[in-house]
Amino acid sequence: KAGVTQTPRYLIKTRGQQVTLSCSPISGHRSVSWYQQTPGQGLQFLFEYFSETQRNKGNFPGRFSGRQFSNSRSEMNVSTLELGDSALYLCASSFRDRAYEQYFGPGTRLTVT
Amino acid sequence: TQLLEQSPQFLSIQEGENLTVYCNSSSVFSSLQWYRQEPGEGPVLLVTVVTGGEVKKLKRLTFQFGDARKDSSLHITAAQTGDTGLYLCAGGWGSQGNLIFGKGTKLSVKP
């Protein structure tokens, strides 16, 4: 069974731009969660989607948004990028009733200059 | 406020030694997960524990969930160089996917 895939793997953007990251979950998984990982803060929860609905949201500004499509694929968007948004963005998928058992993709490394 | 505290932050040992990593919280969790992450990759799920006092073994790795479901430990017996990596604990509530992660223990096992 194919794992979680994330595209692109690496991205360099300039302050003020916006970016969209994509995540394809494991087949059969309908819950998708997003995390930001930085050396200082570790992994921090951004949001979780299930059946195209945001089920949980972390403590991030409104510049961070996401959505989920009917095939469970998910995207996250960051608008008006700031230097502090440089991080590894991880997507994880899971079954609906065991969404705490998460299977992670390799991440997208975003660098904001 | 970090809800999950992991200790130690760094651990450097020789191959063959035993080690224990701790994950502590003042919050009660429904479940607790342990992951291992290697550079440039996403975390890989090692185990999930859901019952207070539960002990699970995965080859040389032993995981324990505290009776009060606030803390957990990971014990590795006879560490190998392949055990090198960042070990992360994560706590969850109910069946949902909004996990809280500790900052991790960076383990280095030298030959």
Side-chain angles (χ1 to χ4, degrees), chain B residues 46-63:
Chain B
L46 296 174
V47 78
T48 296
V49 285
V50 298
T51 305
E54 183 176 3
V55 177
K56 280 193 174 179
K57 291 192 175 185
L58 185 67
K59 295 183 182 177
R60 294 175 295 101
L61 279 60
T62 301
F63 305 86

Side-chain angles (χ1 to χ4, degrees), chain A residues 33 37 40 48 56 99 101-102, chain B residues 35 37 40 42 48 95-97 103:
Chain A
S33 296
Q37 185 175 28
E48 180 200 7
N56 289 289
E101 287 191 337
Q102 298 185 351
Chain B
Y35 292 83
Q37 185 178 23
T48 296
S95 62
Q96 301 195 2
K103 290 194 175 182

Side-chain angles (χ1 to χ4, degrees), chain A residues 86-107:
Chain A
S86 294
L88 181 67
Y89 289 88
L90 292 159
C91 161
S93 74
S94 54
F95 288 112
R96 175 185 64 103
D97 56 350
R98 292 177 72 88
Y100 48 82
E101 287 191 337
Q102 298 185 351
Y103 296 85
F104 283 82

Side-chain angles (χ1 to χ4, degrees), chain B residues 4-32:
Chain B
L4 272 174
E5 298 283 346
Q6 280 189 245
S7 61
Q9 278 188 290
F10 302 95
L11 196 50
S12 180
I13 60 172
Q14 296 294 130
E15 200 168 28
E17 292 183 7
N18 301 333
L19 66 114
T20 302
V21 175
Y22 299 94
C23 178
N24 295 298
S25 176
S26 56
S27 299
V28 175
F29 294 103
S30 302
S31 66
L32 198 133

